Amino acid sequence: MSTTPPVLAAELAQAWADIQRHHPELPDLAAPESLIGESSSACGAELSFERLLHEAVHGIAAARGVRDTSRAGRYHNRRFLAIAEEMGLDHPEEPHPSSGFSLVTLNAEARRRYRPTIERLQRALKAHTVATAADTKRTFRGPAARHGSSGGGVRVKAVCDCGRNVRVVPSVLAQAPIVCGGCGKPFRIPETVGAAN
């Protein structure tokens, strides 16, 4: 099995198609590779089938015109939970104060239904992790830099001396300075600043 990100993206697209077979109103996944390396504290930091199914809940909510989150997408409301339950996700506890019902888990029926899909995706994710681990030991390049793209990679916090910060793909920041509109100084990734001192 190849371990390149395009193969992982293809496996993600296949897993999404498996979900669509059970939920035909789910729109197509426009950019599976956007999920690789992306993390969100509200939706889960680790890419897995459970996380993919969580994203599919958002897809169905969008298709139905249902507003399933608030607070800039962080708080997952009861409308999100209702669709999540339809799709085989449970939330056993009261809502989290800041993320609501975002921490959903696969129920036993969904685990059985998607077992082959889950196993196939886990193998692809494991192979991807092994393949990219060597790159990150030498230097942080992120998915965008490894594949010649300036977008869609892992974003890190870049800070300005005046205290403002932005999220940016390190390879984009390496191409040219991003200048703060408040003070006119360039944004820097804190680890880079610390390493230079």
Side-chain angles (χ1 to χ4, degrees), residues 22-134:
H22 297 281
H23 302 278
E25 68 185 303
L26 178 63
D28 291 339
L29 181 59
E33 61 279 1
S34 68
L35 294 171
I36 302 170
E38 180 184 288
S39 67
S40 164
S41 58
C43 297
E46 185 177 326
L47 184 55
S48 65
F49 181 77
E50 198 167 75
R51 165 85 187 285
L52 193 63
L53 198 56
H54 175 127
E55 296 299 335
V57 172
H58 291 304
I60 287 183
R64 292 178 182 174
V66 172
R67 186 170 176 190
D68 62 342
T69 63
S70 59
R71 301 181 197 162
R74 288 187 307 272
Y75 191 88
H76 292 58
N77 59 35
R78 290 191 184 278
R79 291 181 293 272
F80 170 85
L81 182 59
I83 298 169
E85 288 172 345
E86 286 178 39
M87 297 184 71
L89 293 166
D90 289 333
H91 189 281
E93 303 167 12
E94 289 297 309
H96 185 274
S98 63
S99 63
F101 295 99
S102 68
L103 302 175
V104 288
T105 56
L106 277 169
N107 66 28
E109 180 184 336
R111 198 171 297 282
R112 278 190 303 275
R113 177 187 311 141
Y114 294 112
R115 183 172 173 236
T117 305
I118 292 167
E119 290 172 355
R120 193 178 64 240
L121 186 58
Q122 283 175 335
R123 283 192 303 271
L125 287 165
K126 184 177 179 183
H128 175 73
T129 300
V130 168
T132 58

